Amino acid sequence: MAVVEGLAKTALVQELLSSPHQMLINGEWVDSASGKTFTTYNPSTGEELGQVAEGSEEDVNRAVAAARAAFDHGPWKETTPSERSRLLWKLADLLEENVQAFAELETLDNGKSVTISETVDMGLAIEHIRYMAGWATKLDGKHLNLSIPDTHAYTRREPIGVCGQIIPWNFPMLMAAWKIAPAMAAGCTVVLKPAEQTPLTALLFGKMIQEAGFPPGVVNIVTGFGEATGAPLAAHPDVDKVAFTGSTEVGKMILTASAGNLKKVTLELGGKSPNVIFADANLEAATGGAANGIFFNHGQTCCAGSRVYIEKKSFDNVVGDMANIANNIKLAPGMDDSCEMGPLISTEQLERVSGMVDGGIKAGATAACGGEVVSGNGGYFYKPTILVDTKPDMDVVVNEIFGPVVTAIPFETTEDIITEANNSVYGLAAGVWTSDISKAHKAAAALRAGTVWVNCYNLFDNHMPFGGYKQSGIGREMGVEAIENYLQTKSVCVQL
Ligand code: NAP
Ligand code: MG
């Protein structure tokens, strides 16, 4: 049994941590069909944080049946766009009223700084829900000017149906908001499966969804492991669409599983994003931006700028300054006000990151800083790390590390660097730092990535679509494109 006294400041979190963590199916909080539970941990200490209902295919089937009934027959079908908009707005208000509780729960379950949980994760989640509330009333079809005489034809934009949504642990609450808000705006129903490492904020989100007044069965939340709950959800014949965020490896499995009933699929997957610094850039801004591009969220970010390319004549200076920034980042438990970087999510992730760095060093790379586990306090801390002297085919240059580890690589010409930056199976994001406006836009056009940041990195706006080229994904989050994922077009043709 977890010891939870004194872990959180808000009474709501203390109360939640002292209660069982059940699943939300058809508007009711229930244990898993098997009665089994699994442990979620506090990565800052390695201690147990709580026991969570461990779902299986039976629970997925119940949740999908509830979502199917709510979509096909429930009152949800009759809600007007303006009612859906008001429900979403109410939900955002409830999140805002409870923002401290959400931030504390996120930090305890995930490890990130509580200040970041509140200002970044929750701030973006709340605004995203409000942004999508605005779209609910603006989803129009159009009149079609046919060449067949005496016809009247038009399109309708209709909700796609029951959506299975599977999300990762790096931004648990934000990913839940990115998934649920557009689905609700479009009029779909949902079965959400949070990651096993971080199920708690999704469950609190479920409580707020109920309090806001969404009808039973419209949003269902099933907790459990990927193979036992995510896989049957992705394969379920009554699920019309699956939206997944996570590793490219599992993304491919989702695509295969969806083939049975030809579900619509959107995938937001991994990356190995290049951040290119030209010598004519504002180097102070570029250095800070490149450090933030990789060290934000401990590098556990799908769009992390994990390959930094620096024009040769500025290489030593930029790497030296980035190492200086890295060495001064304060590692601490997320609930500690001084925390600038918390622990990694799990022992598995700590082993994976340290194993990849050790492998890189063995293969000839040098750590300009970091390269070490911080041991002693039970938490999963890893020092921010910069690797130099790498070769293009090294594992640390080619594959996603998903930790606070960047490879810094010198380059000489613009042509070479675009080719090298694009030399990846991934294409999620890229950064360009230069004061030459022509060079900036040419590079932005030539980089094969879903987002290119120029003289900035990691800037997100709800109106700016985000998603991957190549093996970084299918479809987009945010912007009107995210809603499009949850709609389908019907043509209506009338002979007059
Ligand atoms: P993952 O296995 O892809 O997990 C993402 C989600 O998929 C989780 O909810 C997971 O459930 C679920 N899942 C796992 N296997 C499944 C299956 N066969 N069918 C359906 N759902 C399944 O990612 P991870 O293991 O947590 O992390 C591994 C690597 O993925 C990281 O090192 C990183 O490279 C990458 N990653 C990328 C992102 C991103 O935003 N692009 C986010 C997280 C991780 P459980 O967690 O309960 O098993
Ligand atoms: Mg946890």
Side-chain angles (χ1 to χ4, degrees):
M1 180 66 196
V3 179
V4 298
E5 268 114 88
L7 274 184
K9 293 183 189 135
T10 55
L12 177 57
V13 175
Q14 277 303 139
E15 185 198 318
L16 288 169
L17 291 178
S18 313
S19 323
H21 302 291
Q22 294 175 299
M23 301 189 268
L24 178 62
I25 298 180
N26 205 20
E28 285 177 20
W29 292 95
V30 295
D31 293 329
S32 60
S34 69
K36 282 198 209 164
T37 62
F38 67 96
T39 307
T40 189
Y41 295 93
N42 176 351
S44 292
T45 61
E47 285 165 3
E48 178 181 333
L49 192 59
Q51 288 293 318
V52 184
E54 185 185 324
S56 63
E57 188 166 358
E58 200 177 335
D59 301 290
V60 170
N61 288 344
R62 279 159 56 205
V64 171
R68 187 81 260 165
F71 184 79
D72 290 341
H73 313 294
W76 186 237
K77 210 173 152 61
E78 310 305 327
T79 52
T80 64
S82 117
E83 280 164 347
R84 292 203 302 277
S85 177
R86 269 187 284 130
L87 283 167
L88 281 167
W89 200 272
K90 173 94 189 289
L91 180 60
D93 286 347
L94 285 168
L95 262 49
E96 200 160 62
E97 281 164 31
N98 293 284
V99 70
Q100 206 191 339
F102 272 101
E104 287 185 353
L105 200 58
E106 194 76 305
T107 288
L108 288 168
D109 213 6
N110 165 284
K112 66 178 76 186
S113 138
V114 72
T115 313
I116 297 288
S117 290
E118 180 167 342
T119 55
V120 179
D121 295 63
M122 288 309 296
L124 288 171
I126 291 165
E127 279 313 305
H128 185 67
I129 295 168
R130 293 206 172 113
Y131 174 83
M132 288 299 169
W135 273 116
T137 50
K138 294 160 196 76
L139 304 173
D140 298 328
K142 61 181 181 187
H143 165 249
L144 303 173
N145 194 13
L146 302 191
S147 300
I148 310 166
D150 294 327
T151 53
H152 170 56
Y154 56 95
T155 56
R156 292 168 49 84
R157 304 290 283 140
E158 297 186 346
I160 219 158
V162 174
C163 303
Q165 303 183 320
I166 301 169
I167 55 173
W169 43 259
N170 54 345
F171 294 91
M173 182 57 205
L174 182 59
M175 292 303 103
W178 276 13
K179 292 281 182 278
I180 286 180
M184 295 297 102
C188 293
T189 61
V190 161
V191 177
L192 177 80
K193 195 213 86 71
E196 72 196 46
Q197 297 86 349
T198 55
L200 299 184
T201 45
L203 296 175
L204 180 56
F205 194 24
K207 291 190 195 298
M208 300 295 147
I209 286 168
Q210 283 186 302
E211 197 174 329
F214 287 86
V218 171
V219 175
N220 306 273
I221 303 171
V222 176
T223 46
F225 300 117
E227 275 175 31
T229 51
L233 185 58
H236 204 294
D238 280 338
V239 172
D240 300 300
K241 179 215 157 62
V242 64
F244 169 82
T245 298
S247 60
T248 294
E249 186 192 353
V250 175
K252 290 179 181 176
M253 292 160 80
I254 301 280
L255 202 56
T256 306
S258 70
N261 68 336
L262 287 181
K263 283 179 193 67
K264 313 297 176 264
V265 181
T266 46
L267 304 171
E268 208 261 274
L269 308 175
K272 191 73 185 178
S273 299
N275 203 351
V276 180
I277 303 176
F278 289 99
D280 63 13
N282 172 341
L283 289 180
E284 201 186 329
T287 305
N292 172 267
I294 182 64
F295 298 134
F296 173 66
N297 211 45
H298 328 162
Q300 300 173 140
T301 310
C302 46
C303 56
S306 50
R307 292 181 288 148
V308 172
Y309 293 99
I310 305 156
E311 198 167 335
K312 202 164 190 177
K313 59 183 166 194
S314 304
F315 185 78
D316 290 342
N317 282 348
V318 170
V319 171
D321 290 349
M322 276 183 76
N324 199 24
I325 294 173
N327 287 329
N328 283 300
I329 292 174
K330 171 104 169 80
L331 270 71
M335 291 298 278
D336 190 330
D337 285 339
S338 69
C339 169
E340 289 174 344
M341 185 185 281
L344 303 188
I345 188 69
S346 60
T347 39
E348 292 76 25
Q349 198 63 15
L350 187 63
E351 277 162 22
R352 190 184 129 90
V353 171
S354 63
M356 283 184 80
V357 172
D358 294 350
I361 290 170
K362 219 172 259 167
T366 310
C369 63
E372 283 173 311
V373 172
V374 183
S375 49
N377 61 357
Y380 320 133
F381 292 90
Y382 195 81
K383 283 193 182 165
T385 300
I386 302 173
L387 294 177
V388 294
D389 304 327
T390 58
K391 302 250 160 26
D393 59 352
M394 278 184 187
D395 183 38
V396 287
V397 177
V398 174
N399 293 312
E400 186 174 45
I401 299 177
F402 226 64
V405 181
V406 64
T407 54
I409 301 161
F411 72 89
E412 292 193 59
T413 72
T414 306
E415 294 73 44
D416 289 350
I417 187 51
I418 296 297
T419 308
E420 200 170 344
N422 282 337
N423 181 21
S424 172
V425 298
Y426 295 114
L428 191 54
V432 181
W433 299 82
T434 175
S435 49
D436 179 335
I437 192 166
S438 163
K439 201 192 275 178
H441 288 293
K442 281 185 179 165
L447 286 162
R448 296 197 63 211
T451 298
V452 178
W453 283 295
V454 178
N455 294 334
C456 60
Y457 206 88
N458 277 341
L459 281 195
F460 289 92
D461 188 287
N462 288 305
H463 200 45
M464 191 164 75
F466 176 78
Y469 278 33
K470 300 192 261 182
Q471 292 188 36
S472 288
I474 300 174
R476 295 291 178 269
E477 311 268 7
M478 300 195 287
V480 69
E481 302 200 22
I483 296 252
E484 300 289 340
N485 298 333
Y486 291 92
L487 294 168
Q488 54 194 345
T489 300
K490 179 182 280 173
S491 292
V492 180
C493 180
V494 185
Q495 179 78 66
L496 298 176

